[in-house]
């Protein structure tokens, strides 16, 4: 081999080596870049996961804090979110029964209501009788706006026809009525699609299918004759000063109550509080006729509502 040839082959080998090393370096560089990108992505994902976890922990801590609160005070959720009813509060993780603020979709203002988070949870209590401490012999305005004790756990109240209308027009609600007598027995009646009309319709009552153990005293669908005078289906609301009943007299005045009277009633849950069996000129006690007849006034009543499609929490 000549000198030139030797020189040439040396240069060739060197060139190949250099190019080879450069392409190897380039390859390495690209790999490194991909590796770093993957790492950045992983770290970003971790940061996001941590942020979600922190938010969850804060929420849980808030719930724990609220669960240690006083039994009789209104539970203040700080107004970060508005809730249209108690089922939304329940679904947001607040599982403690008590008074909360809610604001139905078309309501101009929020108001306090007792949320029953037992019995599957998410119940908005619209009426309670427990000890006769509130006067339910009231006129139209009081029944329209609501009255009673919105502070104590067993406080008696009527949430107000206006609020009942606002609540029940924002969706399909189930009404459950829990009843108890003075002999420690309890029964319930439940109605699908409970709706209360607006002011123009005098807060007319609308109820769907009945189920339960106390009997269908609101709909009286089991007895056509009794239905004619005793059913509360499609009845307007009446008070002593606003007679919308089907009776020639004034049911609300005779029975000292406000209710969806017909001619007059087979259920009167806003009646006078008596300790069980009673005698009076009219059947003006707290009546659920299909369970205890007209001459027995019940010990306690809770009327509560929840969306039909709510998925109960089974404990
Ligand atoms: C309940 O309130 C009505 C109307 O304000 C009143 O006439 C009646 O006397 C009250 N009843 C009782 C037991 O206080
Ligand atoms: Ca009348």
């Amino acid at each position: 081999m000549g000198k030139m040839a030797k020189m040439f082959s040396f240069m060739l080998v060197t060139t190949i080596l250099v190019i080879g090393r450069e392409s190897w370096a380039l390859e390495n560089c690209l790999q490194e870049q991909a590796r770093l990108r993957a790492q950045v992505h992983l770290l970003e994902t971790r940061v996001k996961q941590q942020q979600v976890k922190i938010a969850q922990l804060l929420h849980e801590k808030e719930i724990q804090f609220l669960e240690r609160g006083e039994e009789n005070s209104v539970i203040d959720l700080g107004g970060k979110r508005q809730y249209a009813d108690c089922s939304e509060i329940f679904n947001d993780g607040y599982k403690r029964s008590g008074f909360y603020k809610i604001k139905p979709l078309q309501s101009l203002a929020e108001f306090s209501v007792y949320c029953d988070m037992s019995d599957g949870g998410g119940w908005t209590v619209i009426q309670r009788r427990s000890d006769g401490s509130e006067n339910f012999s009231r006129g139209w305005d009081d029944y329209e706006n609501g009255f009673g004790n919105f502070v104590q756990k067993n406080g008696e109240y009527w949430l107000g026809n206006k609020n009942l209308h606002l609540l029940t027009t924002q969706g399909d609600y189930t009404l459950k009525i829990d009843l108890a007598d003075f002999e420690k027995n309890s029964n319930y009646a439940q109605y699908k699609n409970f709706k209360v009309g607006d002011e123009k319709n005098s807060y007319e009552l609308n109820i769907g299918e009945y189920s339960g153990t106390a009997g269908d005293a609101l709909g009286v669908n089991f007895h056509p004759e009794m239905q004619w005078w005793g059913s509360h289906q499609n009845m307007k609301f009446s008070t002593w000063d606003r007679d919308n009943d089907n009776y020639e007299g004034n049911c609300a005045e005779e029975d000292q109550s406000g209710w969806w009277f017909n001619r007059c009633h087979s259920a009167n849950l806003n009646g006078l509080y008596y300790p069980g069996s009673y005698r009076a000129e009219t059947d003006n006690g707290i009546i659920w006729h299909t369970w205890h007849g007209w001459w027995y006034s019940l010990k306690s009543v809770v009327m509560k509502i929840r969306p039909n499609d709510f998925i109960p929490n089974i404990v």
Side-chain angles (χ1 to χ4, degrees):
M1 211 184 287
K3 238 185 193 164
M4 278 301 277
K6 249 187 195 162
M7 184 78 151
F8 183 74
S9 73
F10 171 76
M11 275 168 66
L12 191 69
V13 167
T14 310
T15 308
I16 287 167
L17 276 174
V18 167
I19 290 172
R21 210 173 61 206
E22 264 171 14
S23 77
W24 179 79
L26 185 69
E27 179 111 333
N28 238 11
C29 193
L30 287 171
Q31 271 175 12
E32 180 72 3
Q33 206 176 36
R35 198 177 62 79
L36 286 171
R37 272 213 194 101
Q39 216 164 33
V40 166
H41 181 71
L42 191 75
L43 287 170
E44 277 173 353
T45 310
R46 276 203 199 138
V47 166
K48 269 182 211 149
Q49 283 170 345
Q50 292 294 328
Q51 281 170 341
V52 169
K53 214 166 189 177
I54 286 166
Q56 269 172 359
L57 284 170
L58 282 172
H59 190 58
E60 275 167 31
K61 206 166 166 192
E62 186 185 52
I63 290 167
Q64 278 168 9
F65 175 74
L66 288 167
E67 272 166 1
R68 285 200 302 268
E70 275 180 61
E71 197 147 84
N72 287 337
S73 60
V74 176
I75 300 165
D76 184 6
L77 301 182
K80 268 175 293 178
R81 219 196 112 178
Q82 260 164 0
Y83 299 96
D85 64 19
C86 294
S87 75
E88 289 192 355
I89 295 175
F90 186 86
N91 285 337
D92 212 12
Y94 303 97
K95 310 261 156 95
R96 179 186 148 213
S97 294
F99 286 94
Y100 291 85
K101 290 255 169 71
I102 61 166
K103 188 172 179 288
L105 299 179
Q106 302 198 19
S107 183
L108 296 175
E110 53 176 24
F111 52 86
S112 286
V113 73
Y114 190 86
C115 295
D116 177 3
M117 302 310 199
S118 67
D119 193 11
W123 294 104
T124 303
V125 173
I126 62 169
Q127 186 258 27
R128 185 194 298 278
R129 307 301 298 276
S130 56
D131 54 10
S133 55
E134 283 295 325
N135 182 354
F136 277 69
S137 308
R138 291 172 183 250
W140 185 260
D141 291 350
D142 282 354
Y143 270 99
E144 181 166 60
N145 297 311
F147 59 84
N149 183 337
F150 290 91
V151 180
Q152 269 164 328
K153 193 179 162 216
N154 280 317
E156 298 195 319
Y157 70 74
W158 179 255
L159 189 58
N161 294 337
K162 224 186 253 174
N163 291 334
L164 290 186
H165 171 69
L166 290 168
L167 275 165
T168 59
T169 45
Q170 61 184 353
D172 292 326
Y173 281 85
T174 297
L175 167 68
K176 188 175 181 213
I177 304 172
D178 291 325
L179 304 168
D181 67 13
F182 288 89
E183 287 73 47
K184 296 189 163 67
N185 305 302
S186 53
N187 274 307
Y188 75 96
Q190 193 166 296
Y191 294 90
K192 280 253 172 73
N193 303 322
F194 166 66
K195 279 200 197 306
V196 173
D198 61 12
E199 194 197 349
K200 276 203 302 275
N201 292 306
S202 302
Y203 304 108
E204 185 181 303
L205 173 70
N206 218 284
I207 43 170
E209 192 193 344
Y210 160 82
S211 62
T213 57
D216 177 19
L218 270 192
V220 198
N221 279 309
F222 56 90
H223 199 306
E225 263 170 67
M226 192 175 149
Q227 203 173 22
W228 179 78
W229 59 263
S231 172
H232 301 278
Q233 174 74 288
N234 300 128
M235 291 302 123
K236 292 176 158 67
F237 204 87
S238 286
T239 50
W240 67 267
D241 56 346
R242 194 75 72 89
D243 178 0
N244 294 313
D245 62 32
N246 290 326
Y247 170 55
E248 64 267 25
N250 183 331
C251 296
E253 191 169 33
E254 283 187 14
D255 291 333
Q256 293 164 69
S257 161
W259 195 245
W260 297 279
F261 286 111
N262 187 349
R263 292 177 183 94
C264 284
H265 70 81
S266 53
N268 178 29
L269 300 179
N270 290 333
L272 296 182
Y273 199 91
Y274 293 103
S277 295
Y278 69 99
R279 299 174 72 161
E281 276 183 37
T282 60
D283 43 0
N284 59 7
I286 301 171
I287 308 301
W288 194 262
H289 173 255
T290 49
W291 183 19
H292 269 300
W294 286 288
W295 305 104
Y296 186 98
S297 187
L298 295 164
K299 180 172 192 269
S300 71
V301 180
V302 179
M303 296 175 71
K304 56 194 187 185
I305 63 171
R306 183 167 82 179
N308 283 350
D309 59 7
F310 181 84
I311 299 162
N313 186 37
I314 315 290
V315 184

